[in-house]
Amino acid sequence: MKFNIITLGCKVNSYESNFMKESLINNGFSFCSDNEKCDILILNTCTVTDTSDKKSLKEVRRLKRENPNSILVVCGCSVQNNIDKYKNMGIDILMGNINKSNIVSIINDYLKNNVPYECIAKTRDLPFENMIIKSFNHTRGNIKIEDGCDNFCSYCIIPFVRGKVRSKNFDDVINEATILANNGYKEIVLTGIDTGSYESNGKDLSDLINELSKIDTLKRIRLSSIEITQLNDKFMEVLKNNDKLCNHLHIPLQAGSDEILKLMNRKYDLNYFFEKVKKIRSIRPDISITTDVIVGFPNETNEMFLKTLDTCEKLNFAKIHVFPYSDRTGTKASKMANKISINEKKDRVKKLMDLSLTLENNYYNKFKGQKLDVLIEEVFEDYSVGHTSNYLMVKIPKKLVKGEIYNEKI
C-alpha cells in the first residue's frame, strides 16, 4: 500500500515523521509523492500557536475532501491538545504524542479489523519513546535526543502536550549518530523539545557532544536550540575546545524587557543574558547567535517593546525569529489582562523583522572574502547551495557533490 506523510511544526515532528516513514517502508509499504493518490495519509500536527492549530485542522479537512477513500491518520501536538475538535472529523486513526513508534502495528491492526483507533496520553509522566533513524531526505541528519519540557513558560502549551523531560539513552544516541555518519552524513543536528536538559546515566549534553565528536567521519554537530540558563561552565569548555560543535547557537530571548520576562516565567533577566552572550563571544568572536522573540505579550507597553528592539540591537543577533503572542488555552498568559490588539502586534512584528533583516545582512557581510567550509545541500546545473558552520546560506557558482564539505571563498 502507498502512503504519504505531511508534517507541520518543529524539527522534533520532522524526526518523528521520518521515523514513521522509514518504519513503514521497512515493513512493505511504499512512499508516494504529493501528486499520487495514496492509500494512507498521515498528518503530524502542531499546536505551538493558535495559527498552528487552525492550519492543522484545515489540513485535515483538505485531506478528507481530496482523498475520501484514503485511510487518514492524524497525530501529534494539536491532537493531544484539542482531542475534542478532532473526534468527530471522520479520522480513522487518531493519535496524540504517544505510540508513533508503533505506527506499523497500529495501521496493520486497522487494515485487519477496520476499527477506528484513538490513543491520547492522559499524563505528563511518560517514558522516552525510542526511535532510531538511518537516513534523511536532507544532507544533515537530525537526532531526537530529548522529549518534554518542565519550564512552564506562562505562554506555552508544550509542557502540557509533550510531557515531562526525558532523554534518549546515551549509547543509543552514539549508535544512531554512528549509523548516520556511516551512511554519509557529515553533520547531525541534536534536537528535542528542551534539548539543553538532556541527561542520561549521569551524562549531560556536553558529555554527549564530546563523545559524538569522536566519530571520525562526523564533521559537524549542531544544536537545534538551547536555553541561556543551560550554557554552564562545562558547556563553555566544549564551545572552547570542541571544533566539531558548529559555530552557531540558537538561544531564545523571547522578550527584551525584564518586566515581560518575569511575566513569561523565563528563568533569567537581561543582565544574565547579556553576560552569557558576552562570554560566548569571548570564546568564539564570530559565532552566529540567533534567537526567538515574542511580541505583543499581555501588558507589553510600547516602551517595553522599544526596549526589546534596543536589546536585540545591542545583543547583535545574526537573525531574529519573530512571533506575535498567541493565546494558548490552559496557560497562565491566556488568563492575563491587558491583551495587545492584533494591529499593534502586526506593527511590532514588522519593526522587529526589519531590525532582524538589518542585523542578518550585517552578519553576512562580515564574511565576504573569507574562506569557509560549506556543506553542499542542493546541486543545480551551474551552481550549488549549502550552509557554513555558522549557518550562512551560500551559493557557489560550481556544480559540486551533494553532502560533501568544501572550503570556498565567500
Side-chain angles (χ1 to χ4, degrees), residues 15-16 18-23 26 101 128-136 142-144 168-180 183:
Y15 177 91
E16 292 169 348
N18 207 103
F19 175 85
M20 290 189 282
K21 176 183 175 181
E22 209 169 87
S23 298
N26 290 340
S101 60
F128 187 85
E129 195 166 346
N130 206 29
M131 304 176 185
I132 290 182
I133 288 175
K134 296 181 179 178
S135 66
F136 284 80
N142 288 355
I143 300 180
K144 176 187 162 186
K168 178 174 280 187
N169 179 275
F170 188 88
D171 292 335
D172 286 343
V173 179
I174 304 303
N175 178 50
E176 188 170 8
T178 302
I179 290 169
L180 288 168
N183 286 338

PDB file of all heavy atoms in Angstrom, residues 15-16 18-23 26 101 128-136 142-144 168-180 183:
ATOM      1  N   TYR A  15      11.522  14.732  12.739  1.00  0.00           N
ATOM      2  CA  TYR A  15      12.233  13.498  13.089  1.00  0.00           C
ATOM      3  C   TYR A  15      11.250  12.340  13.246  1.00  0.00           C
ATOM      4  O   TYR A  15      11.459  11.249  12.715  1.00  0.00           O
ATOM      5  CB  TYR A  15      13.013  13.699  14.393  1.00  0.00           C
ATOM      6  CG  TYR A  15      13.713  12.450  14.874  1.00  0.00           C
ATOM      7  CD1 TYR A  15      15.025  12.179  14.497  1.00  0.00           C
ATOM      8  CD2 TYR A  15      13.059  11.532  15.690  1.00  0.00           C
ATOM      9  CE1 TYR A  15      15.669  11.018  14.916  1.00  0.00           C
ATOM     10  CE2 TYR A  15      13.687  10.374  16.110  1.00  0.00           C
ATOM     11  CZ  TYR A  15      14.995  10.128  15.729  1.00  0.00           C
ATOM     12  OH  TYR A  15      15.616   8.972  16.150  1.00  0.00           O
ATOM     13  N   GLU A  16      10.166  12.582  13.984  1.00  0.00           N
ATOM     14  CA  GLU A  16       9.188  11.519  14.231  1.00  0.00           C
ATOM     15  C   GLU A  16       8.494  11.084  12.939  1.00  0.00           C
ATOM     16  O   GLU A  16       8.234   9.899  12.742  1.00  0.00           O
ATOM     17  CB  GLU A  16       8.184  11.984  15.286  1.00  0.00           C
ATOM     18  CG  GLU A  16       8.811  12.130  16.668  1.00  0.00           C
ATOM     19  CD  GLU A  16       7.934  12.841  17.673  1.00  0.00           C
ATOM     20  OE1 GLU A  16       6.911  13.433  17.270  1.00  0.00           O
ATOM     21  OE2 GLU A  16       8.278  12.817  18.863  1.00  0.00           O
ATOM     22  N   ASN A  18       9.888  11.230   9.998  1.00  0.00           N
ATOM     23  CA  ASN A  18      10.904  10.482   9.266  1.00  0.00           C
ATOM     24  C   ASN A  18      10.997   9.045   9.786  1.00  0.00           C
ATOM     25  O   ASN A  18      11.151   8.093   9.010  1.00  0.00           O
ATOM     26  CB  ASN A  18      12.264  11.164   9.392  1.00  0.00           C
ATOM     27  CG  ASN A  18      13.175  10.888   8.216  1.00  0.00           C
ATOM     28  OD1 ASN A  18      13.359  11.720   7.335  1.00  0.00           O
ATOM     29  ND2 ASN A  18      13.758   9.694   8.191  1.00  0.00           N
ATOM     30  N   PHE A  19      10.873   8.893  11.111  1.00  0.00           N
ATOM     31  CA  PHE A  19      10.888   7.545  11.687  1.00  0.00           C
ATOM     32  C   PHE A  19       9.684   6.736  11.205  1.00  0.00           C
ATOM     33  O   PHE A  19       9.819   5.564  10.838  1.00  0.00           O
ATOM     34  CB  PHE A  19      10.881   7.610  13.213  1.00  0.00           C
ATOM     35  CG  PHE A  19      10.783   6.253  13.862  1.00  0.00           C
ATOM     36  CD1 PHE A  19      11.916   5.494  14.072  1.00  0.00           C
ATOM     37  CD2 PHE A  19       9.547   5.728  14.220  1.00  0.00           C
ATOM     38  CE1 PHE A  19      11.842   4.223  14.638  1.00  0.00           C
ATOM     39  CE2 PHE A  19       9.458   4.461  14.781  1.00  0.00           C
ATOM     40  CZ  PHE A  19      10.599   3.704  14.996  1.00  0.00           C
ATOM     41  N   MET A  20       8.502   7.346  11.218  1.00  0.00           N
ATOM     42  CA  MET A  20       7.308   6.637  10.756  1.00  0.00           C
ATOM     43  C   MET A  20       7.454   6.230   9.296  1.00  0.00           C
ATOM     44  O   MET A  20       7.098   5.105   8.905  1.00  0.00           O
ATOM     45  CB  MET A  20       6.058   7.502  10.966  1.00  0.00           C
ATOM     46  CG  MET A  20       5.670   7.670  12.423  1.00  0.00           C
ATOM     47  SD  MET A  20       4.052   8.457  12.665  1.00  0.00           S
ATOM     48  CE  MET A  20       4.443  10.182  12.363  1.00  0.00           C
ATOM     49  N   LYS A  21       7.996   7.127   8.485  1.00  0.00           N
ATOM     50  CA  LYS A  21       8.212   6.828   7.065  1.00  0.00           C
ATOM     51  C   LYS A  21       9.154   5.640   6.893  1.00  0.00           C
ATOM     52  O   LYS A  21       8.861   4.696   6.147  1.00  0.00           O
ATOM     53  CB  LYS A  21       8.785   8.067   6.365  1.00  0.00           C
ATOM     54  CG  LYS A  21       9.143   7.853   4.902  1.00  0.00           C
ATOM     55  CD  LYS A  21       9.783   9.108   4.311  1.00  0.00           C
ATOM     56  CE  LYS A  21      10.255   8.870   2.887  1.00  0.00           C
ATOM     57  NZ  LYS A  21      10.904  10.085   2.317  1.00  0.00           N
ATOM     58  N   GLU A  22      10.281   5.686   7.600  1.00  0.00           N
ATOM     59  CA  GLU A  22      11.268   4.617   7.498  1.00  0.00           C
ATOM     60  C   GLU A  22      10.694   3.280   7.964  1.00  0.00           C
ATOM     61  O   GLU A  22      10.925   2.233   7.346  1.00  0.00           O
ATOM     62  CB  GLU A  22      12.498   4.995   8.339  1.00  0.00           C
ATOM     63  CG  GLU A  22      13.790   4.415   7.837  1.00  0.00           C
ATOM     64  CD  GLU A  22      14.997   5.024   8.526  1.00  0.00           C
ATOM     65  OE1 GLU A  22      15.386   4.528   9.601  1.00  0.00           O
ATOM     66  OE2 GLU A  22      15.565   5.995   7.986  1.00  0.00           O
ATOM     67  N   SER A  23       9.919   3.326   9.064  1.00  0.00           N
ATOM     68  CA  SER A  23       9.328   2.097   9.611  1.00  0.00           C
ATOM     69  C   SER A  23       8.342   1.474   8.632  1.00  0.00           C
ATOM     70  O   SER A  23       8.335   0.249   8.424  1.00  0.00           O
ATOM     71  CB  SER A  23       8.611   2.399  10.932  1.00  0.00           C
ATOM     72  OG  SER A  23       9.510   2.875  11.892  1.00  0.00           O
ATOM     73  N   ASN A  26      10.174  -0.036   5.637  1.00  0.00           N
ATOM     74  CA  ASN A  26      10.856  -1.274   6.031  1.00  0.00           C
ATOM     75  C   ASN A  26       9.882  -2.442   6.233  1.00  0.00           C
ATOM     76  O   ASN A  26      10.302  -3.597   6.325  1.00  0.00           O
ATOM     77  CB  ASN A  26      11.655  -1.051   7.313  1.00  0.00           C
ATOM     78  CG  ASN A  26      12.867  -0.170   7.091  1.00  0.00           C
ATOM     79  OD1 ASN A  26      13.338  -0.016   5.975  1.00  0.00           O
ATOM     80  ND2 ASN A  26      13.374   0.424   8.159  1.00  0.00           N
ATOM     81  N   SER A 101       5.938   5.401  17.516  1.00  0.00           N
ATOM     82  CA  SER A 101       6.913   4.349  17.230  1.00  0.00           C
ATOM     83  C   SER A 101       6.232   3.037  16.855  1.00  0.00           C
ATOM     84  O   SER A 101       6.868   2.135  16.294  1.00  0.00           O
ATOM     85  CB  SER A 101       7.831   4.127  18.442  1.00  0.00           C
ATOM     86  OG  SER A 101       7.081   3.736  19.569  1.00  0.00           O
ATOM     87  N   PHE A 128      10.508   7.765  27.515  1.00  0.00           N
ATOM     88  CA  PHE A 128      11.036   8.223  26.236  1.00  0.00           C
ATOM     89  C   PHE A 128      10.704   7.175  25.181  1.00  0.00           C
ATOM     90  O   PHE A 128      10.992   5.995  25.355  1.00  0.00           O
ATOM     91  CB  PHE A 128      12.549   8.435  26.300  1.00  0.00           C
ATOM     92  CG  PHE A 128      13.107   9.060  25.053  1.00  0.00           C
ATOM     93  CD1 PHE A 128      13.095  10.434  24.893  1.00  0.00           C
ATOM     94  CD2 PHE A 128      13.620   8.281  24.018  1.00  0.00           C
ATOM     95  CE1 PHE A 128      13.593  11.024  23.735  1.00  0.00           C
ATOM     96  CE2 PHE A 128      14.112   8.854  22.859  1.00  0.00           C
ATOM     97  CZ  PHE A 128      14.100  10.233  22.721  1.00  0.00           C
ATOM     98  N   GLU A 129      10.065   7.608  24.115  1.00  0.00           N
ATOM     99  CA  GLU A 129       9.664   6.691  23.049  1.00  0.00           C
ATOM    100  C   GLU A 129      10.829   6.541  22.078  1.00  0.00           C
ATOM    101  O   GLU A 129      11.112   7.436  21.283  1.00  0.00           O
ATOM    102  CB  GLU A 129       8.420   7.230  22.345  1.00  0.00           C
ATOM    103  CG  GLU A 129       7.715   6.211  21.485  1.00  0.00           C
ATOM    104  CD  GLU A 129       6.312   6.657  21.084  1.00  0.00           C
ATOM    105  OE1 GLU A 129       5.784   7.615  21.665  1.00  0.00           O
ATOM    106  OE2 GLU A 129       5.756   6.022  20.175  1.00  0.00           O
ATOM    107  N   ASN A 130      11.519   5.421  22.179  1.00  0.00           N
ATOM    108  CA  ASN A 130      12.776   5.269  21.462  1.00  0.00           C
ATOM    109  C   ASN A 130      12.574   5.079  19.960  1.00  0.00           C
ATOM    110  O   ASN A 130      11.757   4.275  19.533  1.00  0.00           O
ATOM    111  CB  ASN A 130      13.568   4.087  22.013  1.00  0.00           C
ATOM    112  CG  ASN A 130      15.053   4.258  21.787  1.00  0.00           C
ATOM    113  OD1 ASN A 130      15.552   5.379  21.725  1.00  0.00           O
ATOM    114  ND2 ASN A 130      15.779   3.168  21.651  1.00  0.00           N
ATOM    115  N   MET A 131      13.305   5.850  19.190  1.00  0.00           N
ATOM    116  CA  MET A 131      13.282   5.751  17.733  1.00  0.00           C
ATOM    117  C   MET A 131      14.716   5.901  17.239  1.00  0.00           C
ATOM    118  O   MET A 131      15.484   6.697  17.783  1.00  0.00           O
ATOM    119  CB  MET A 131      12.430   6.868  17.118  1.00  0.00           C
ATOM    120  CG  MET A 131      11.002   6.933  17.620  1.00  0.00           C
ATOM    121  SD  MET A 131      10.124   8.372  16.908  1.00  0.00           S
ATOM    122  CE  MET A 131       8.558   8.278  17.794  1.00  0.00           C
ATOM    123  N   ILE A 132      15.058   5.143  16.216  1.00  0.00           N
ATOM    124  CA  ILE A 132      16.380   5.271  15.595  1.00  0.00           C
ATOM    125  C   ILE A 132      16.190   5.359  14.089  1.00  0.00           C
ATOM    126  O   ILE A 132      15.438   4.585  13.500  1.00  0.00           O
ATOM    127  CB  ILE A 132      17.289   4.088  15.969  1.00  0.00           C
ATOM    128  CG1 ILE A 132      17.688   4.180  17.448  1.00  0.00           C
ATOM    129  CG2 ILE A 132      18.544   4.055  15.095  1.00  0.00           C
ATOM    130  CD1 ILE A 132      18.626   3.098  17.927  1.00  0.00           C
ATOM    131  N   ILE A 133      16.858   6.334  13.491  1.00  0.00           N
ATOM    132  CA  ILE A 133      16.719   6.599  12.057  1.00  0.00           C
ATOM    133  C   ILE A 133      18.061   6.387  11.359  1.00  0.00           C
ATOM    134  O   ILE A 133      19.112   6.721  11.904  1.00  0.00           O
ATOM    135  CB  ILE A 133      16.211   8.045  11.837  1.00  0.00           C
ATOM    136  CG1 ILE A 133      14.746   8.138  12.253  1.00  0.00           C
ATOM    137  CG2 ILE A 133      16.381   8.482  10.406  1.00  0.00           C
ATOM    138  CD1 ILE A 133      14.187   9.525  12.183  1.00  0.00           C
ATOM    139  N   LYS A 134      18.002   5.842  10.146  1.00  0.00           N
ATOM    140  CA  LYS A 134      19.225   5.548   9.402  1.00  0.00           C
ATOM    141  C   LYS A 134      19.521   6.563   8.301  1.00  0.00           C
ATOM    142  O   LYS A 134      20.645   6.675   7.839  1.00  0.00           O
ATOM    143  CB  LYS A 134      19.137   4.143   8.799  1.00  0.00           C
ATOM    144  CG  LYS A 134      19.071   3.045   9.860  1.00  0.00           C
ATOM    145  CD  LYS A 134      19.007   1.675   9.223  1.00  0.00           C
ATOM    146  CE  LYS A 134      18.955   0.586  10.289  1.00  0.00           C
ATOM    147  NZ  LYS A 134      18.850  -0.766   9.690  1.00  0.00           N
ATOM    148  N   SER A 135      18.489   7.288   7.842  1.00  0.00           N
ATOM    149  CA  SER A 135      18.723   8.245   6.751  1.00  0.00           C
ATOM    150  C   SER A 135      17.656   9.332   6.745  1.00  0.00           C
ATOM    151  O   SER A 135      16.597   9.178   7.350  1.00  0.00           O
ATOM    152  CB  SER A 135      18.738   7.530   5.399  1.00  0.00           C
ATOM    153  OG  SER A 135      17.455   7.006   5.111  1.00  0.00           O
ATOM    154  N   PHE A 136      17.966  10.427   6.059  1.00  0.00           N
ATOM    155  CA  PHE A 136      17.043  11.554   5.892  1.00  0.00           C
ATOM    156  C   PHE A 136      17.031  11.957   4.423  1.00  0.00           C
ATOM    157  O   PHE A 136      17.949  11.643   3.668  1.00  0.00           O
ATOM    158  CB  PHE A 136      17.499  12.755   6.728  1.00  0.00           C
ATOM    159  CG  PHE A 136      17.217  12.625   8.192  1.00  0.00           C
ATOM    160  CD1 PHE A 136      18.035  11.877   9.006  1.00  0.00           C
ATOM    161  CD2 PHE A 136      16.114  13.238   8.769  1.00  0.00           C
ATOM    162  CE1 PHE A 136      17.789  11.744  10.364  1.00  0.00           C
ATOM    163  CE2 PHE A 136      15.850  13.111  10.110  1.00  0.00           C
ATOM    164  CZ  PHE A 136      16.686  12.367  10.913  1.00  0.00           C
ATOM    165  N   ASN A 142      19.003  14.624  11.579  1.00  0.00           N
ATOM    166  CA  ASN A 142      18.516  15.002  12.902  1.00  0.00           C
ATOM    167  C   ASN A 142      18.504  13.801  13.827  1.00  0.00           C
ATOM    168  O   ASN A 142      18.186  12.685  13.404  1.00  0.00           O
ATOM    169  CB  ASN A 142      17.073  15.539  12.817  1.00  0.00           C
ATOM    170  CG  ASN A 142      17.010  16.911  12.180  1.00  0.00           C
ATOM    171  OD1 ASN A 142      18.038  17.519  11.883  1.00  0.00           O
ATOM    172  ND2 ASN A 142      15.809  17.392  11.955  1.00  0.00           N
ATOM    173  N   ILE A 143      18.831  14.029  15.086  1.00  0.00           N
ATOM    174  CA  ILE A 143      18.651  13.005  16.108  1.00  0.00           C
ATOM    175  C   ILE A 143      17.847  13.629  17.253  1.00  0.00           C
ATOM    176  O   ILE A 143      18.269  14.622  17.857  1.00  0.00           O
ATOM    177  CB  ILE A 143      19.980  12.470  16.654  1.00  0.00           C
ATOM    178  CG1 ILE A 143      20.810  11.832  15.534  1.00  0.00           C
ATOM    179  CG2 ILE A 143      19.725  11.448  17.758  1.00  0.00           C
ATOM    180  CD1 ILE A 143      22.139  11.268  15.996  1.00  0.00           C
ATOM    181  N   LYS A 144      16.690  13.046  17.524  1.00  0.00           N
ATOM    182  CA  LYS A 144      15.887  13.492  18.662  1.00  0.00           C
ATOM    183  C   LYS A 144      16.471  12.871  19.923  1.00  0.00           C
ATOM    184  O   LYS A 144      16.386  11.661  20.123  1.00  0.00           O
ATOM    185  CB  LYS A 144      14.426  13.070  18.476  1.00  0.00           C
ATOM    186  CG  LYS A 144      13.526  13.392  19.654  1.00  0.00           C
ATOM    187  CD  LYS A 144      12.149  12.788  19.455  1.00  0.00           C
ATOM    188  CE  LYS A 144      11.391  12.719  20.757  1.00  0.00           C
ATOM    189  NZ  LYS A 144      10.103  12.008  20.604  1.00  0.00           N
ATOM    190  N   LYS A 168      16.853  10.303  25.484  1.00  0.00           N
ATOM    191  CA  LYS A 168      17.275   9.055  24.824  1.00  0.00           C
ATOM    192  C   LYS A 168      18.535   8.529  25.512  1.00  0.00           C
ATOM    193  O   LYS A 168      19.411   9.311  25.922  1.00  0.00           O
ATOM    194  CB  LYS A 168      17.545   9.325  23.342  1.00  0.00           C
ATOM    195  CG  LYS A 168      18.029   8.110  22.563  1.00  0.00           C
ATOM    196  CD  LYS A 168      18.135   8.388  21.069  1.00  0.00           C
ATOM    197  CE  LYS A 168      16.777   8.312  20.405  1.00  0.00           C
ATOM    198  NZ  LYS A 168      16.863   8.401  18.933  1.00  0.00           N
ATOM    199  N   ASN A 169      18.626   7.230  25.624  1.00  0.00           N
ATOM    200  CA  ASN A 169      19.800   6.604  26.210  1.00  0.00           C
ATOM    201  C   ASN A 169      21.083   7.077  25.509  1.00  0.00           C
ATOM    202  O   ASN A 169      21.142   7.141  24.279  1.00  0.00           O
ATOM    203  CB  ASN A 169      19.662   5.083  26.110  1.00  0.00           C
ATOM    204  CG  ASN A 169      20.860   4.350  26.671  1.00  0.00           C
ATOM    205  OD1 ASN A 169      21.857   4.147  25.989  1.00  0.00           O
ATOM    206  ND2 ASN A 169      20.751   3.953  27.927  1.00  0.00           N
ATOM    207  N   PHE A 170      22.090   7.395  26.292  1.00  0.00           N
ATOM    208  CA  PHE A 170      23.353   7.942  25.792  1.00  0.00           C
ATOM    209  C   PHE A 170      23.943   7.062  24.692  1.00  0.00           C
ATOM    210  O   PHE A 170      24.298   7.545  23.610  1.00  0.00           O
ATOM    211  CB  PHE A 170      24.332   8.055  26.970  1.00  0.00           C
ATOM    212  CG  PHE A 170      25.608   8.786  26.659  1.00  0.00           C
ATOM    213  CD1 PHE A 170      25.696  10.162  26.804  1.00  0.00           C
ATOM    214  CD2 PHE A 170      26.733   8.089  26.240  1.00  0.00           C
ATOM    215  CE1 PHE A 170      26.877  10.834  26.541  1.00  0.00           C
ATOM    216  CE2 PHE A 170      27.915   8.754  25.965  1.00  0.00           C
ATOM    217  CZ  PHE A 170      27.991  10.125  26.114  1.00  0.00           C
ATOM    218  N   ASP A 171      24.026   5.760  24.945  1.00  0.00           N
ATOM    219  CA  ASP A 171      24.628   4.845  23.964  1.00  0.00           C
ATOM    220  C   ASP A 171      23.784   4.745  22.695  1.00  0.00           C
ATOM    221  O   ASP A 171      24.330   4.560  21.600  1.00  0.00           O
ATOM    222  CB  ASP A 171      24.811   3.457  24.584  1.00  0.00           C
ATOM    223  CG  ASP A 171      25.864   3.453  25.682  1.00  0.00           C
ATOM    224  OD1 ASP A 171      26.750   4.325  25.658  1.00  0.00           O
ATOM    225  OD2 ASP A 171      25.794   2.582  26.576  1.00  0.00           O
ATOM    226  N   ASP A 172      22.465   4.865  22.845  1.00  0.00           N
ATOM    227  CA  ASP A 172      21.593   4.820  21.667  1.00  0.00           C
ATOM    228  C   ASP A 172      21.836   6.023  20.756  1.00  0.00           C
ATOM    229  O   ASP A 172      21.786   5.907  19.528  1.00  0.00           O
ATOM    230  CB  ASP A 172      20.121   4.780  22.087  1.00  0.00           C
ATOM    231  CG  ASP A 172      19.714   3.428  22.639  1.00  0.00           C
ATOM    232  OD1 ASP A 172      20.453   2.449  22.409  1.00  0.00           O
ATOM    233  OD2 ASP A 172      18.661   3.339  23.295  1.00  0.00           O
ATOM    234  N   VAL A 173      22.102   7.190  21.354  1.00  0.00           N
ATOM    235  CA  VAL A 173      22.398   8.387  20.546  1.00  0.00           C
ATOM    236  C   VAL A 173      23.702   8.186  19.781  1.00  0.00           C
ATOM    237  O   VAL A 173      23.782   8.480  18.580  1.00  0.00           O
ATOM    238  CB  VAL A 173      22.491   9.655  21.426  1.00  0.00           C
ATOM    239  CG1 VAL A 173      22.821  10.873  20.553  1.00  0.00           C
ATOM    240  CG2 VAL A 173      21.199   9.908  22.184  1.00  0.00           C
ATOM    241  N   ILE A 174      24.714   7.670  20.477  1.00  0.00           N
ATOM    242  CA  ILE A 174      26.006   7.436  19.824  1.00  0.00           C
ATOM    243  C   ILE A 174      25.848   6.430  18.688  1.00  0.00           C
ATOM    244  O   ILE A 174      26.390   6.613  17.583  1.00  0.00           O
ATOM    245  CB  ILE A 174      27.057   6.926  20.841  1.00  0.00           C
ATOM    246  CG1 ILE A 174      27.203   7.913  22.024  1.00  0.00           C
ATOM    247  CG2 ILE A 174      28.398   6.712  20.141  1.00  0.00           C
ATOM    248  CD1 ILE A 174      27.562   9.326  21.631  1.00  0.00           C
ATOM    249  N   ASN A 175      25.086   5.382  18.934  1.00  0.00           N
ATOM    250  CA  ASN A 175      24.840   4.362  17.915  1.00  0.00           C
ATOM    251  C   ASN A 175      24.131   4.950  16.696  1.00  0.00           C
ATOM    252  O   ASN A 175      24.512   4.693  15.544  1.00  0.00           O
ATOM    253  CB  ASN A 175      24.006   3.231  18.520  1.00  0.00           C
ATOM    254  CG  ASN A 175      23.669   2.154  17.497  1.00  0.00           C
ATOM    255  OD1 ASN A 175      24.532   1.663  16.791  1.00  0.00           O
ATOM    256  ND2 ASN A 175      22.395   1.795  17.418  1.00  0.00           N
ATOM    257  N   GLU A 176      23.106   5.757  16.939  1.00  0.00           N
ATOM    258  CA  GLU A 176      22.352   6.362  15.839  1.00  0.00           C
ATOM    259  C   GLU A 176      23.233   7.311  15.026  1.00  0.00           C
ATOM    260  O   GLU A 176      23.195   7.325  13.793  1.00  0.00           O
ATOM    261  CB  GLU A 176      21.127   7.093  16.387  1.00  0.00           C
ATOM    262  CG  GLU A 176      20.186   7.600  15.311  1.00  0.00           C
ATOM    263  CD  GLU A 176      18.872   8.115  15.879  1.00  0.00           C
ATOM    264  OE1 GLU A 176      18.742   8.224  17.119  1.00  0.00           O
ATOM    265  OE2 GLU A 176      17.964   8.411  15.080  1.00  0.00           O
ATOM    266  N   ALA A 177      24.020   8.116  15.737  1.00  0.00           N
ATOM    267  CA  ALA A 177      24.921   9.050  15.043  1.00  0.00           C
ATOM    268  C   ALA A 177      25.961   8.298  14.219  1.00  0.00           C
ATOM    269  O   ALA A 177      26.316   8.721  13.106  1.00  0.00           O
ATOM    270  CB  ALA A 177      25.608   9.954  16.062  1.00  0.00           C
ATOM    271  N   THR A 178      26.443   7.178  14.735  1.00  0.00           N
ATOM    272  CA  THR A 178      27.425   6.364  14.010  1.00  0.00           C
ATOM    273  C   THR A 178      26.813   5.798  12.733  1.00  0.00           C
ATOM    274  O   THR A 178      27.449   5.806  11.672  1.00  0.00           O
ATOM    275  CB  THR A 178      27.939   5.223  14.910  1.00  0.00           C
ATOM    276  OG1 THR A 178      28.521   5.783  16.097  1.00  0.00           O
ATOM    277  CG2 THR A 178      28.980   4.389  14.187  1.00  0.00           C
ATOM    278  N   ILE A 179      25.567   5.333  12.839  1.00  0.00           N
ATOM    279  CA  ILE A 179      24.858   4.817  11.651  1.00  0.00           C
ATOM    280  C   ILE A 179      24.717   5.924  10.603  1.00  0.00           C
ATOM    281  O   ILE A 179      24.999   5.716   9.416  1.00  0.00           O
ATOM    282  CB  ILE A 179      23.470   4.283  12.048  1.00  0.00           C
ATOM    283  CG1 ILE A 179      23.613   2.998  12.876  1.00  0.00           C
ATOM    284  CG2 ILE A 179      22.623   3.995  10.800  1.00  0.00           C
ATOM    285  CD1 ILE A 179      22.317   2.541  13.526  1.00  0.00           C
ATOM    286  N   LEU A 180      24.279   7.106  11.040  1.00  0.00           N
ATOM    287  CA  LEU A 180      24.108   8.227  10.107  1.00  0.00           C
ATOM    288  C   LEU A 180      25.437   8.624   9.476  1.00  0.00           C
ATOM    289  O   LEU A 180      25.520   8.866   8.263  1.00  0.00           O
ATOM    290  CB  LEU A 180      23.485   9.425  10.830  1.00  0.00           C
ATOM    291  CG  LEU A 180      22.005   9.281  11.204  1.00  0.00           C
ATOM    292  CD1 LEU A 180      21.578  10.388  12.160  1.00  0.00           C
ATOM    293  CD2 LEU A 180      21.121   9.288   9.965  1.00  0.00           C
ATOM    294  N   ASN A 183      26.485   6.270   6.926  1.00  0.00           N
ATOM    295  CA  ASN A 183      25.644   6.409   5.731  1.00  0.00           C
ATOM    296  C   ASN A 183      25.927   7.708   4.973  1.00  0.00           C
ATOM    297  O   ASN A 183      25.168   8.092   4.083  1.00  0.00           O
ATOM    298  CB  ASN A 183      24.173   6.318   6.108  1.00  0.00           C
ATOM    299  CG  ASN A 183      23.762   4.888   6.440  1.00  0.00           C
ATOM    300  OD1 ASN A 183      24.403   3.940   6.022  1.00  0.00           O
ATOM    301  ND2 ASN A 183      22.688   4.730   7.196  1.00  0.00           N
TER     302      ASN A 183
END
